[in-house]
PDB file of all heavy atoms in Angstrom:
ATOM      1  N   GLU A  19       5.922  43.279 -19.519  1.00 98.00           N
ATOM      2  CA  GLU A  19       5.511  42.329 -18.481  1.00 98.00           C
ATOM      3  C   GLU A  19       6.782  42.009 -17.691  1.00 98.00           C
ATOM      4  O   GLU A  19       7.719  41.435 -18.263  1.00 98.00           O
ATOM      5  CB  GLU A  19       4.950  41.055 -19.107  1.00 98.00           C
ATOM      6  CG  GLU A  19       3.597  41.215 -19.750  1.00 98.00           C
ATOM      7  CD  GLU A  19       3.180  39.937 -20.490  1.00 98.00           C
ATOM      8  OE1 GLU A  19       2.639  39.033 -19.837  1.00 98.00           O
ATOM      9  OE2 GLU A  19       3.420  39.844 -21.696  1.00 98.00           O
ATOM     10  N   GLY A  24       3.507  36.247 -19.961  1.00 95.00           N
ATOM     11  CA  GLY A  24       2.491  35.218 -19.742  1.00 95.00           C
ATOM     12  C   GLY A  24       2.024  34.531 -21.010  1.00 95.00           C
ATOM     13  O   GLY A  24       2.502  33.455 -21.373  1.00 95.00           O
ATOM     14  N   ALA A  25       1.061  35.166 -21.715  1.00 91.00           N
ATOM     15  CA  ALA A  25       0.470  34.531 -22.890  1.00 91.00           C
ATOM     16  C   ALA A  25       1.524  34.271 -23.973  1.00 91.00           C
ATOM     17  O   ALA A  25       1.339  33.423 -24.843  1.00 91.00           O
ATOM     18  CB  ALA A  25      -0.656  35.394 -23.440  1.00 91.00           C
ATOM     19  N   ASP A  53       3.245  46.019 -16.673  1.00 98.00           N
ATOM     20  CA  ASP A  53       1.978  45.286 -16.655  1.00 98.00           C
ATOM     21  C   ASP A  53       2.142  44.154 -15.644  1.00 98.00           C
ATOM     22  O   ASP A  53       2.686  43.101 -15.953  1.00 98.00           O
ATOM     23  CB  ASP A  53       1.690  44.750 -18.064  1.00 98.00           C
ATOM     24  CG  ASP A  53       0.423  43.901 -18.113  1.00 98.00           C
ATOM     25  OD1 ASP A  53      -0.085  43.528 -17.034  1.00 98.00           O
ATOM     26  OD2 ASP A  53      -0.036  43.604 -19.218  1.00 98.00           O
ATOM     27  N   VAL A  55      -0.360  42.666 -14.220  1.00 97.00           N
ATOM     28  CA  VAL A  55      -1.671  42.015 -14.110  1.00 97.00           C
ATOM     29  C   VAL A  55      -1.504  40.542 -13.711  1.00 97.00           C
ATOM     30  O   VAL A  55      -2.218  40.041 -12.843  1.00 97.00           O
ATOM     31  CB  VAL A  55      -2.455  42.156 -15.435  1.00 97.00           C
ATOM     32  CG1 VAL A  55      -3.680  41.253 -15.451  1.00 97.00           C
ATOM     33  CG2 VAL A  55      -2.874  43.611 -15.637  1.00 97.00           C
ATOM     34  N   MET A  56      -0.545  39.867 -14.338  1.00 97.00           N
ATOM     35  CA  MET A  56      -0.336  38.454 -14.011  1.00 97.00           C
ATOM     36  C   MET A  56       0.722  38.277 -12.917  1.00 97.00           C
ATOM     37  O   MET A  56       0.605  37.385 -12.079  1.00 97.00           O
ATOM     38  CB  MET A  56       0.063  37.696 -15.286  1.00 97.00           C
ATOM     39  CG  MET A  56      -0.031  36.193 -15.204  1.00 97.00           C
ATOM     40  SD  MET A  56       1.475  35.418 -14.606  1.00 97.00           S
ATOM     41  CE  MET A  56       2.530  35.575 -16.025  1.00 97.00           C
ATOM     42  N   SER A  81      -4.432  43.941 -11.830  1.00 96.00           N
ATOM     43  CA  SER A  81      -5.793  43.402 -11.976  1.00 96.00           C
ATOM     44  C   SER A  81      -5.877  42.052 -11.248  1.00 96.00           C
ATOM     45  O   SER A  81      -5.682  42.031 -10.036  1.00 96.00           O
ATOM     46  CB  SER A  81      -6.128  43.298 -13.466  1.00 96.00           C
ATOM     47  OG  SER A  81      -7.408  42.828 -13.673  1.00 96.00           O
ATOM     48  N   LYS A  82      -6.086  40.980 -11.989  1.00 95.00           N
ATOM     49  CA  LYS A  82      -6.282  39.623 -11.450  1.00 95.00           C
ATOM     50  C   LYS A  82      -6.224  39.454  -9.911  1.00 95.00           C
ATOM     51  O   LYS A  82      -7.240  39.323  -9.256  1.00 95.00           O
ATOM     52  CB  LYS A  82      -5.268  38.666 -12.071  1.00 95.00           C
ATOM     53  CG  LYS A  82      -5.390  38.542 -13.575  1.00 95.00           C
ATOM     54  CD  LYS A  82      -4.497  37.445 -14.089  1.00 95.00           C
ATOM     55  CE  LYS A  82      -4.330  37.499 -15.594  1.00 95.00           C
ATOM     56  NZ  LYS A  82      -5.595  37.471 -16.351  1.00 95.00           N
ATOM     57  N   MET A  91     -11.972  44.035 -11.218  1.00 93.00           N
ATOM     58  CA  MET A  91     -11.491  45.292 -10.642  1.00 93.00           C
ATOM     59  C   MET A  91     -10.043  45.454 -11.109  1.00 93.00           C
ATOM     60  O   MET A  91      -9.274  44.502 -11.077  1.00 93.00           O
ATOM     61  CB  MET A  91     -11.528  45.193  -9.115  1.00 93.00           C
ATOM     62  CG  MET A  91     -10.953  46.373  -8.379  1.00 93.00           C
ATOM     63  SD  MET A  91     -12.246  47.546  -8.009  1.00 93.00           S
ATOM     64  CE  MET A  91     -11.287  48.974  -7.577  1.00 93.00           C
ATOM     65  N   ALA A  92      -9.694  46.638 -11.568  1.00 94.00           N
ATOM     66  CA  ALA A  92      -8.320  46.877 -12.002  1.00 94.00           C
ATOM     67  C   ALA A  92      -7.855  48.236 -11.485  1.00 94.00           C
ATOM     68  O   ALA A  92      -8.664  49.080 -11.127  1.00 94.00           O
ATOM     69  CB  ALA A  92      -8.234  46.834 -13.521  1.00 94.00           C
TER      70      ALA A  92
HETATM   71  C1  PLP B   1      -0.074  40.248 -18.430  1.00 96.42           C
HETATM   72  C2  PLP B   1      -1.535  40.550 -18.649  1.00 96.42           C
HETATM   73  N1  PLP B   1      -1.909  41.804 -18.892  1.00 96.42           N
HETATM   74  C3  PLP B   1      -3.208  42.130 -19.069  1.00 96.42           C
HETATM   75  C4  PLP B   1      -4.195  41.181 -19.033  1.00 96.42           C
HETATM   76  C5  PLP B   1      -5.621  41.611 -19.197  1.00 96.42           C
HETATM   77  O1  PLP B   1      -6.126  41.887 -17.927  1.00 96.42           O
HETATM   78  P1  PLP B   1      -7.614  42.403 -17.709  1.00 96.42           P
HETATM   79  O2  PLP B   1      -8.506  41.392 -18.347  1.00 96.42           O
HETATM   80  O3  PLP B   1      -7.781  42.448 -16.229  1.00 96.42           O
HETATM   81  O4  PLP B   1      -7.715  43.732 -18.355  1.00 96.42           O
HETATM   82  C6  PLP B   1      -3.859  39.854 -18.804  1.00 96.42           C
HETATM   83  C7  PLP B   1      -4.911  38.814 -18.793  1.00 96.42           C
HETATM   84  O5  PLP B   1      -4.715  37.654 -18.881  1.00 96.42           O
HETATM   85  C8  PLP B   1      -2.498  39.534 -18.599  1.00 96.42           C
HETATM   86  O6  PLP B   1      -2.105  38.268 -18.330  1.00 96.42           O
END
Side-chain angles (χ1 to χ4, degrees):
E19 288 174 84
D53 177 347
V55 168
M56 195 271 286
S81 182
K82 299 188 194 304
M91 175 92 195

